[in-house]
Amino acid sequence: MNYRKLGGSGLKVSEISLGSWLTYGGYVERENAVKAIETAYDLGVNFFDTANVYERGAAEVLLGETIKAYPRESYVLATKAFWPMGDGPNDRGLSRKHVIEQANASLKRLNTDYVDIFYCHRYDQETPLQETLRAIDDLIRSGKVLYAGVSEWTASQMADALATADRYLLDRIVVSQPVYNMFERYIEKEVIPYGEKNGIGQVVFSPLAQGLLTGKYASLADIPEGSRASKLEWVRKGITEEKIAKVGALSAIAKELEITTGQLALAWILRQSNVASALVGASRPEQVVENVNASGITLSEDVLARIESIL
């Protein structure tokens, strides 16, 4: 496993990290979820990601129960807040009340004294930015959070956050978590250039496009039983025959390189120096092994050009 610095911080994270969205706490059987986490740790993954909203806290509980077997200093733990956690008017967003309450609730579910990274899970148009950043800064000063992050914020929103933090001497955000894969590349235009210039690293989610970039979908008429596309309509809608054909062409390149299609997709993402880690989900330990083996794969300029022509 290779490790990279997270943005402009001194924190080092594994190039492949393990997430729990759509997997742990409900979608995946507990035994497989636990084995996947244990396998990841054994293979050098030191970065584990979750959120309060994933299965309404169940993902945090499962991750916390599993990872407590390892020394706390040996791994990096991240969680988030923004999405509704109840029906009340203050049970959502990034108000000081919600941020502080949810951070404390996450610490209890994770059974830990602190999280390494606390993300604002989306941008909150209804809360003053200074209020949100001050709340997170207070969490950092109290030792409950070590680093501040954001998820799916635009470059201009991050610019406002850094300007606000500098104005009021608050801790700066050092990490952004956007979606990024061969079919979803919007961050290349502004987010990555801004991150490179201002010390904000990217930890990207859905790097395999919900499994599409593993090559497991042969056609829309042949969706494997038990796959996410067979269970989740919104995943199925993201799969088209055009994309399947492109994955087929990418698979031919992967075969030449003697790697899997998924490993090719992950190595393509890691070509970006601003990407600190690719956040994968795994329902089986075998998937973890395959994904971890993408760390360290370097794609030549010729291969990258061929990939670009396909995409």
Side-chain angles (χ1 to χ4, degrees):
M1 174 62 68
N2 290 341
Y3 301 87
R4 298 185 179 190
K5 284 182 62 178
L6 186 64
S9 77
L11 183 66
K12 294 182 179 179
V13 296
S14 49
E15 287 186 336
I16 305 298
S17 45
L18 187 64
S20 50
W21 179 49
L22 296 181
T23 48
Y24 306 148
Y27 178 77
V28 175
E29 291 182 1
R30 180 182 178 85
E31 182 180 359
N32 278 340
V34 170
K35 287 183 178 179
I37 295 168
E38 293 173 341
T39 299
Y41 184 88
D42 290 343
L43 293 176
V45 170
N46 77 337
F47 194 6
F48 297 87
D49 179 275
T50 188
N52 60 345
V53 75
Y54 298 163
E55 297 295 329
R56 283 292 179 96
E60 288 182 319
V61 171
L62 189 149
L63 179 59
E65 290 176 348
T66 305
I67 209 167
K68 69 180 180 182
Y70 308 116
R72 181 63 185 88
E73 66 275 11
S74 68
Y75 58 85
V76 176
L77 186 59
T79 193
K80 315 176 188 73
F82 170 81
W83 296 108
M85 287 295 286
D87 298 326
N90 292 308
D91 290 336
R92 67 200 68 200
L94 296 176
S95 68
R96 180 179 183 85
K97 177 177 175 62
H98 190 64
V99 166
I100 298 296
E101 289 177 348
Q102 290 306 309
N104 286 328
S106 289
L107 292 177
K108 287 183 180 179
R109 286 189 291 264
L110 289 164
N111 192 27
T112 185
D113 295 329
Y114 70 95
V115 291
D116 298 273
I117 299 169
F118 188 83
Y119 288 102
C120 298
H121 210 163
R122 288 298 185 273
Y123 189 83
D124 186 356
Q125 300 284 356
E126 298 182 350
T127 301
L129 192 53
Q130 180 191 355
E131 177 180 341
T132 299
L133 297 179
R134 175 71 70 183
I136 295 175
D137 186 78
D138 286 346
L139 289 168
I140 291 174
R141 289 174 184 272
S142 70
K144 294 181 178 181
V145 171
L146 302 188
Y147 299 92
V150 297
S151 179
E152 287 285 82
W153 283 29
T154 65
S156 63
Q157 289 167 343
M158 287 188 282
D160 288 344
L162 292 191
T164 300
D166 290 346
R167 184 179 307 121
Y168 296 103
L169 302 180
L170 306 174
D171 237 63
R172 279 177 150 227
I173 58 175
V174 298
V175 56
S176 162
Q177 188 180 110
V179 60
Y180 184 49
N181 57 57
M182 287 176 164
F183 294 131
E184 182 57 80
R185 304 174 60 177
Y186 82 91
I187 68 171
E188 292 178 351
K189 185 177 181 181
E190 294 182 347
V191 172
I192 285 180
Y194 184 80
E196 288 177 335
K197 185 178 180 180
N198 293 278
I200 299 175
Q202 312 302 321
V203 174
V204 301
F205 70 89
S206 196
L208 298 177
Q210 297 303 323
L212 176 58
L213 286 165
T214 64
K216 66 181 177 182
Y217 300 115
S219 71
L220 287 175
D222 187 22
I223 301 295
E225 186 65 29
S227 66
R228 293 183 191 178
S230 70
K231 297 181 179 181
L232 302 170
E233 184 179 356
W234 67 268
V235 173
R236 188 163 57 251
K237 286 183 177 179
I239 301 173
T240 65
E241 292 293 357
E242 180 184 8
K243 288 180 179 178
I244 290 174
K246 289 182 178 182
V247 174
L250 293 169
S251 296
I253 294 177
K255 187 174 182 180
E256 291 177 20
L257 299 176
E258 298 183 336
I259 60 177
T260 68
T261 308
Q263 288 169 345
L264 180 74
L266 291 171
W268 178 87
I269 283 175
L270 293 171
R271 82 197 191 284
Q272 294 276 7
S273 60
N274 186 234
V275 172
S277 186
L279 183 60
V280 301
S283 55
R284 302 188 312 276
E286 297 80 14
Q287 294 173 329
V288 174
V289 175
E290 179 181 336
N291 293 334
V292 164
N293 284 332
S295 177
I297 294 176
T298 301
L299 303 178
S300 69
E301 291 300 322
D302 175 64
V303 167
L304 290 173
R306 291 171 61 191
I307 291 173
E308 193 63 29
S309 69
I310 292 170
L311 299 178

